[in-house]
Amino acid sequence: MGCDRTGRWGRIDGVSDVLRGSLRGFGTSIFSTITQQAVQVGAINLAQGFPDFDPPDELVRAATEALHAGLHQYAPSAGDPVLRQAVADHQRERYGLVCDPDTEVTVTAGATEAIAATLQALLEPGDEVVLVEPFYDLYPFAVVAAGGVPCYLTTSFPDFRLDLDRLAELVTDRTRVIVVNTPTNPTGRLLGPEEIRALGELAERHDTYLLSDETYEHVVFDGLAHRPVAADPACADRTVTVSSVSKTFSATGWRIGWAVAPPALSAAVRSVHQFVTFTASAPLQRAAGVMLAAAGRSGYYDQLVADYTERRDVLLKDLQATDLEVSRPEGTYFAMTRCDGDDVAYVQELIAAKGVAAIPASVFFSDPARGRGLVRFAFCKRVETLRAAGERLVSARARSASGSDGGRSAGLPVELSTEWTR
């Protein structure tokens, strides 16, 4: 645990000397590498975090209507008014948070841009940013790209709770931003109220901002409830909250996200956003606004949780029948497990011998040794995909994936994209 002033936490993998030195260490995304290996042998891909099923029909119809309505030119840089109002209504109706759609909601090209724009807006060169590890792999890159210095708070399998004493040591007057993710990718856990309160108190004490990635806010299990960081009074004035349509509406390719923050913070984010993408897709923004406005009234979120609970339980049952130690996720659509040995070697053997791909989760740590043995599986797949993968995982004998049809006889998809899709 500590601060990394080099930004070099990954291996260099064929990156040209033309690339800025501080970014070379990030190398090639692990998701690209694993996907290539999976495709080569026809493995079922439980590595990448995108669904193998379509978004809801209502969302697709809304997009069609928006296209026919003539929304083909730039939307306002801050975002389509219908979507900004829907986001504000969602925050009020769901969490009791009141925000002004005109001054406190900014629509971005996915949550990825919202995160990157916020960091670029707030960081001066050399400012420190606290990241919780294991982390979503965008975070350290975005910090270094914005000129910041990542400082890491390590959490541990199986519960991944924050060490609040260590957090208090890491956050100093040099800390400009603390980045949190709840529900958390890749661990699947939710921040508790005592952790959120501690974040707010530290932010106030050290004049620090909070960037809260809440893209999995509606994928929460077992009767638990998502707690927005900004709902705590200690955090409200210092938090930029990020979410998107990617996970909630199974539309990772739409690239529609948003940042919600007090007016001064929103103005800072907008000042960067206008020069990065200026605006996200106009018709898809409108469709997202229509869907978001309708979802709360239609029972959509309850059905989403029910569907993902079934998928989670199908996968966990089979994982628990393997040699892996399994952590039960409270949210997201990921399950973290631990193998006996090296996680990279385990995943490579899993692909070759069982025909199932997962992610070696040591890549989600600044020092991979701290995550050695951790393996992440994604269950944002059709139930039949998960059952087919489960049959392979619990097979008593090793099988050659190259001798199978890779699941194509069951209509299983070949997945080719990376996970930079929030």
Side-chain angles (χ1 to χ4, degrees):
M1 293 180 286
C3 299
D4 179 5
R5 295 187 177 273
T6 67
R8 297 174 182 268
W9 62 271
R11 69 177 183 274
I12 300 175
D13 187 8
V15 179
S16 168
D17 289 342
V18 173
L19 181 65
R20 196 176 93 198
S22 62
L23 301 181
R24 292 176 194 164
F26 291 96
T28 300
S29 168
I30 185 65
F31 303 103
S32 298
T33 302
I34 293 296
T35 291
Q36 289 172 0
Q37 294 177 4
V39 169
Q40 287 172 359
V41 302
I44 299 173
N45 194 342
L46 302 188
Q48 293 183 262
F50 64 88
D52 67 348
F53 48 86
D54 289 334
D57 290 341
E58 301 95 311
L59 183 64
V60 177
R61 284 198 300 270
T64 301
E65 291 171 2
L67 286 167
H68 287 296
L71 295 177
H72 303 301
Q73 310 309 324
Y74 296 123
S77 182
D80 179 76
V82 171
L83 177 53
R84 283 188 281 124
Q85 184 64 59
V87 170
D89 291 343
H90 170 273
Q91 297 300 98
R92 184 188 69 254
E93 295 166 3
R94 195 80 180 174
Y95 307 123
L97 297 174
V98 177
C99 59
D100 185 335
D102 293 327
T103 62
E104 298 180 89
V105 179
T106 304
V107 179
T108 57
T112 296
E113 193 221 334
I115 292 164
T118 297
L119 292 170
Q120 290 179 48
L122 297 181
L123 296 182
E124 297 287 355
D127 282 346
E128 293 182 356
V129 179
V130 172
L131 303 176
V132 178
E133 60 179 1
F135 42 66
Y136 174 52
D137 60 348
L138 165 69
Y139 300 156
F141 178 91
V143 170
V144 173
V149 178
C151 302
Y152 298 99
L153 176 67
T154 306
T155 63
S156 301
F157 186 92
D159 59 7
F160 299 104
R161 301 290 164 184
L162 302 188
D163 182 335
L164 297 183
D165 291 335
R166 177 56 182 154
L167 177 65
E169 294 174 358
L170 275 178
V171 180
T172 70
D173 290 346
R174 297 187 301 275
T175 306
R176 183 65 168 170
V177 180
I178 305 170
V179 179
V180 293
N181 178 203
T182 182
T184 307
N185 171 18
T187 67
R189 74 164 303 253
L190 301 170
L191 290 181
E194 72 288 348
E195 293 168 313
I196 294 174
R197 175 52 59 90
L199 289 166
E201 292 173 349
L202 286 169
E204 183 174 6
R205 185 181 311 156
H206 297 284
D207 194 20
T208 296
Y209 295 105
L210 301 169
L211 173 54
S212 184
D213 179 355
E214 302 181 11
T215 55
Y216 296 91
E217 61 184 306
H218 292 294
V219 186
V220 178
F221 306 116
D222 302 327
L224 298 173
H226 168 65
R227 297 180 179 88
V229 169
D232 190 295
C235 303
D237 293 338
R238 296 179 174 273
T239 301
V240 178
T241 303
V242 171
S243 193
S244 78
V245 305
S246 292
K247 318 307 179 184
T248 300
F249 299 125
S250 306
T252 62
W254 279 39
R255 316 310 304 124
I256 302 296
W258 50 84
V260 180
L265 279 173
S266 287
V269 173
R270 289 178 179 186
S271 70
V272 174
H273 162 70
Q274 68 180 336
F275 291 114
V276 175
T277 63
F278 182 72
T279 185
S281 166
L284 298 186
Q285 285 192 59
R286 177 62 55 86
V290 170
M291 183 70 198
L292 189 63
R297 300 189 298 269
S298 67
Y300 175 84
Y301 300 128
D302 292 337
Q303 188 61 52
L304 182 73
V305 170
D307 290 344
Y308 270 120
T309 297
E310 179 186 13
R311 296 182 181 111
R312 180 198 64 171
D313 292 348
V314 166
L315 178 62
L316 290 188
K317 180 180 178 182
D318 289 326
L319 289 177
Q320 288 163 349
T322 69
D323 58 347
L324 293 165
E325 186 179 354
V326 181
S327 176
R328 185 179 181 85
E330 299 171 327
T332 76
Y333 44 55
F334 301 110
M336 282 286 274
T337 67
R338 184 165 61 187
C339 67
D340 183 14
D342 180 71
D343 52 299
V344 175
Y346 186 94
V347 166
Q348 291 174 338
E349 177 65 14
L350 191 68
I351 294 171
K354 293 286 188 177
V356 176
I359 288 293
S362 61
V363 300
F364 302 132
F365 288 79
S366 55
D367 178 358
R370 290 201 283 265
R372 183 176 182 271
L374 297 181
V375 180
R376 192 200 75 175
F377 292 82
F379 53 88
C380 50
K381 312 297 177 183
R382 291 175 290 164
V383 170
E384 56 264 36
T385 303
L386 297 170
R387 292 193 190 283
E391 290 176 1
R392 297 182 179 193
L393 288 168
V394 301
S395 173
R397 59 182 177 84
R399 59 182 294 171
S400 171
S402 60
S404 73
D405 68 355
R408 284 182 283 275
S409 62
L412 303 181
V414 176
E415 301 168 337
L416 297 173
S417 66
T418 68
E419 197 176 82
W420 297 87
T421 51
R422 284 199 172 190

